[in-house]
Amino acid sequence: MIDMRLMKENPEPMRASQRARGNDPATVDAAIAADDKRLETLQAFENARAEQKAFSKQIGKASKEERPALLEEAKRMSEKVKTLEEAANEAATAAKQAAMVLENQILDGVPSGGEDDYEVLSQEGTPIRDFAAEGFKPKDHLDLGLGLDAIDTDRGVKVSGSRFYYLKGVGARLELAILNAAIDTAIAHGFTPMITPCMVSPATMSGTGFLGEHSDEIYYLPADDLYLTGTSEVALAGYHTDEIIDLSAGPKRYSGWSACFRREAGSYGKDTRGIIRVHQFHKVEMFSYCRPEESVEEHQKLLNMEREMLAKVELPYRVINTAAGDLGSSAAQKFDCEAWLPTQQRFMEVTSTSNCTTFQARRLNIRYRDENGKTQTCATLNGTLGTTRWIVAILENHQQADGSVRVPAGLRPYMGGLEVLEPVK
């Protein structure tokens, strides 16, 4: 949620943010008007209630003859107060709804536009291989996975439907290696590891900003009134709901390991082969609570940790500054790390990290005390440190001519020292 007081003092930056996202800037003025109406009706209710309280004191002092008329007037005033209270409540609800429509105000430096309007910040990692010079045509991750007996999509479809799969043997070990390496990296940087719930309440899901335009991505369980999470970011954001947390020693940092669930609505026909875009996967997510003025520095820390993990698995990748229209409602800025996919000759997102400034914490009522003891709203940030999709890039980039796959040195300790994944005869 937006800081309404600041926006009303200077609405133009928010209008510009809405335009950069491809949204209607008139929503800013609608939210301001709704908040003005809320304040107006609230003042009218409070004035009437104060008048009622003052009037009620006269009744006890009145004579027997005066009392009937005063009681009649008190009844009229009570009805008026009740009507004004209902109007104030309706205006407050309308103001909240108008504010919830607004997406987070983007930070300076975020490109305007949509999915294809990103800015490439750098290209990193092992140089992209020339497979032709090595004398063979690269296989895609599914063919490699089948040869290694590591991925089984046919039985995943049989048991659960499209976009489900089994990881088995070295495939299961590879996923666990990625996730355990991510947890160890997080711990080394002072993050508290957590196994998080995969189901959350509507209040938590809404508070993190996931029930907006893309709510059709989320699995809902109506019998329980719970949502399946597509990232442990949601559960980690909700962890300190309605709390005042201690940030005197610096940011609070958590790292959540969870299964994740996404409907992939609207993605039909895209990345349907293999395990690039699936309904269920595992992920280790970083999450930070910090003071707003520390959020830009903290964002760079999360990005550097993602770079550290990508170096461990020796993937060629690039970092992009995501355009405003592709941020999602809660992010004020997002950096994606995209690994090279040899068989598709393109970069594929493997991590992202977002600075959500105070947007989520304001919705979830998460605060801290400043140096003067006054409560302030926290900033929240998140970032992916390892996920199932990494298997795709690792298999394709580290494959060898005979169908075997070299295990990156950074994952070997988590694979029992295994250096090469060999095809099953």
Side-chain angles (χ1 to χ4, degrees):
M1 186 178 292
I2 303 302
D3 186 330
M4 186 59 67
R5 179 182 60 82
L6 289 178
M7 188 178 75
K8 290 173 77 171
E9 289 175 359
N10 183 15
E12 187 50 41
M14 191 61 192
R15 293 191 190 106
S17 177
Q18 288 290 83
R19 283 192 290 267
R21 286 177 174 273
N23 297 333
D24 186 354
T27 54
V28 175
D29 300 291
I32 291 173
D35 192 65
D36 288 342
K37 181 69 173 177
R38 175 188 69 84
L39 293 173
E40 177 187 330
T41 55
L42 178 62
Q43 188 63 57
F45 161 63
E46 290 179 343
N47 289 344
R49 186 170 59 176
E51 184 182 350
Q52 180 191 32
K53 287 181 178 180
F55 185 81
S56 65
K57 294 178 182 178
Q58 300 178 28
I59 298 175
K61 301 175 183 179
S63 66
K64 185 177 180 181
E65 292 77 15
E66 296 171 324
R67 189 164 295 176
L70 292 176
L71 288 172
E72 186 63 31
E73 178 62 14
K75 180 180 178 182
R76 185 193 66 77
M77 293 180 73
S78 177
E79 291 172 351
K80 179 182 177 182
V81 167
K82 183 179 179 181
T83 299
L84 289 173
E85 182 178 24
E86 290 173 353
N89 289 338
E90 289 174 2
T93 298
K96 183 177 181 179
Q97 290 173 343
M100 293 287 266
V101 168
L102 299 176
E103 299 183 311
N104 200 0
Q105 183 174 316
I106 63 172
L107 297 179
D108 291 342
V110 173
S112 298
E115 184 178 357
D116 299 323
D117 298 309
Y118 55 82
E119 173 192 10
V120 178
L121 299 178
S122 65
Q123 188 165 317
E124 310 285 348
T126 306
I128 295 171
R129 288 171 63 184
D130 184 350
F131 286 95
E134 294 181 39
F136 74 100
K137 182 179 179 180
K139 296 179 180 178
D140 75 2
H141 73 282
L142 183 55
D143 283 340
L144 290 163
L146 292 172
L148 297 168
D149 198 24
I151 302 172
D152 190 336
T153 53
D154 288 343
R155 290 185 175 88
V157 171
K158 178 177 70 175
V159 170
S160 303
S162 63
R163 300 190 191 239
F164 286 94
Y165 58 96
Y166 286 85
L167 293 179
K168 54 188 294 196
V170 293
R173 293 181 67 188
L174 188 55
E175 178 177 78
L176 291 170
I178 293 165
L179 299 175
N180 277 300
I183 285 290
D184 281 354
T185 300
I187 291 171
H189 285 274
F191 285 68
T192 300
M194 299 182 76
I195 305 295
T196 63
C198 294
M199 292 182 281
V200 300
S201 68
T204 300
M205 188 64 82
S206 176
T208 48
F210 281 91
L211 289 185
E213 185 178 335
H214 301 292
S215 59
D216 57 351
E217 281 284 317
I218 304 167
Y219 285 104
Y220 176 59
L221 308 176
D224 305 284
D225 194 24
L226 292 171
Y227 288 94
L228 290 174
T229 58
T231 168
S232 60
E233 171 196 341
V234 180
L236 293 171
Y239 187 65
H240 286 300
T241 297
D242 293 328
E243 295 182 23
I244 300 174
I245 61 178
D246 184 4
L247 296 180
S248 59
K252 254 186 197 312
R253 300 180 175 118
Y254 300 103
S255 181
W257 180 327
S258 74
C260 304
F261 305 88
R262 296 184 184 177
R263 293 186 64 240
E264 293 294 348
S267 66
Y268 303 106
K270 293 173 62 177
D271 294 325
T272 55
R273 179 172 166 81
I275 61 170
I276 295 178
R277 197 183 292 269
V278 292
H279 293 308
Q280 179 182 333
F281 55 96
H282 287 91
K283 184 155 67 84
V284 170
E285 185 81 358
M286 303 174 285
F287 197 90
S288 294
Y289 297 88
C290 69
R291 298 168 184 261
E293 63 269 21
E294 299 171 337
S295 67
V296 172
E297 181 181 352
E298 187 71 3
H299 201 192
Q300 286 299 317
K301 177 181 176 64
L302 300 190
L303 178 60
N304 289 338
M305 289 174 64
E306 293 177 341
R307 291 175 181 268
E308 183 180 332
M309 270 296 296
L310 288 167
K312 286 181 181 179
V313 296
E314 303 169 35
L315 290 177
Y317 69 96
R318 71 181 183 184
V319 180
I320 67 169
N321 186 12
T322 306
D326 198 32
L327 285 178
S329 63
S330 59
Q333 185 166 40
K334 180 163 74 85
F335 301 125
D336 286 352
C337 294
E338 300 181 326
W340 180 248
L341 207 56
T343 61
Q344 296 189 24
Q345 291 290 292
R346 69 176 177 95
F347 286 96
M348 173 190 72
E349 181 201 329
V350 286
T351 78
S352 67
T353 176
S354 298
N355 182 355
C356 297
T357 58
T358 59
F359 186 84
Q360 294 176 328
R362 196 175 304 280
R363 288 174 169 228
L364 295 168
N365 192 31
I366 305 169
R367 296 150 293 153
Y368 69 98
R369 295 195 186 278
D370 63 18
E371 293 79 2
N372 300 316
K374 185 178 179 181
T375 57
Q376 305 285 357
T377 304
C378 302
T380 62
L381 302 96
N382 63 81
T384 302
L385 205 51
T387 186
T388 306
R389 184 184 281 191
W390 287 31
I391 294 173
V392 174
I394 289 170
L395 292 182
E396 292 205 10
N397 282 282
H398 297 307
Q399 65 179 293
Q400 302 181 108
D402 63 354
S404 64
V405 175
R406 186 180 65 83
V407 178
L411 293 185
R412 290 173 190 172
Y414 302 94
M415 298 282 291
L418 193 62
E419 295 184 4
V420 177
L421 308 180
E422 299 285 356
V424 175
K425 303 296 183 183

